Amino acid sequence: MASAGIPEPVQRLIGRCIRSVEQLELLLLLRHDSARSWSPEEAARQLYTAPQSAELRLGELVRARLVERDGDRYRYAADAATDTVVGDLERVYRTHRSRIIAMIFDKPPAPVQAFADAFRLRRDD
């Protein structure tokens, strides 16, 4: 998934954690106001999306350990090293939006990738 001008850690984060532009936008929204916890409805209003979709994407971000859930509210929770990469992603997204979107959409769907990974040959270290 090489893309000129996009730092390798950002590419890895997208490859590992970001499945949609909506999910990316939610991550950046929560990061922007990291002291606040958000309900799916509040986040959906900010992004003009459906609350059910926002809740699904927020759950994905929880599983990726970028967001934490407390009851029915969500808060940005990336560790310091990951936060640096998310900050880089945010900067690159502002200047190379179409490249980032292409990287997200060019990835195979998660089940297809998992199936392909099962056949990947690995060297023993």
Side-chain angles (χ1 to χ4, degrees), residues 49-104:
T49 191
Q52 298 84 359
S53 183
E55 187 167 24
L56 175 70
R57 303 296 175 224
L58 288 164
E60 294 168 352
L61 292 169
V62 168
R63 286 186 292 283
R65 297 186 174 153
L66 297 170
V67 168
E68 64 185 13
R69 183 176 183 175
D70 183 16
D72 63 346
R73 302 192 68 80
Y74 298 82
R75 178 183 313 231
Y76 181 74
D79 61 46
T82 305
D83 180 59
T84 299
V85 178
V86 174
D88 291 343
L89 171 57
E90 183 173 22
R91 284 185 284 287
V92 172
Y93 186 54
R94 275 189 253 141
T95 59
H96 297 91
R97 184 175 300 260
S98 61
R99 281 190 197 163
I100 296 297
I101 291 170
M103 289 176 69
I104 293 168

Side-chain angles (χ1 to χ4, degrees), residues 23-36:
Q23 186 185 42
L24 172 59
E25 294 280 347
L26 282 164
L27 176 63
L28 298 179
L29 173 69
L30 271 62
R31 182 179 187 269
H32 180 72
D33 195 355
S34 61
R36 177 179 175 181

Side-chain angles (χ1 to χ4, degrees), residues 1-19 89 99-108 113 120:
M1 173 175 39
S3 185
I6 310 297
E8 186 64 33
V10 170
Q11 292 181 45
R12 282 194 306 271
L13 179 70
I14 291 170
R16 186 175 47 89
C17 300
I18 306 299
R19 302 272 177 245
L89 171 57
R99 281 190 197 163
I100 296 297
I101 291 170
M103 289 176 69
I104 293 168
F105 284 111
D106 286 348
K107 291 186 330 184
Q113 186 62 56
R120 181 172 289 159

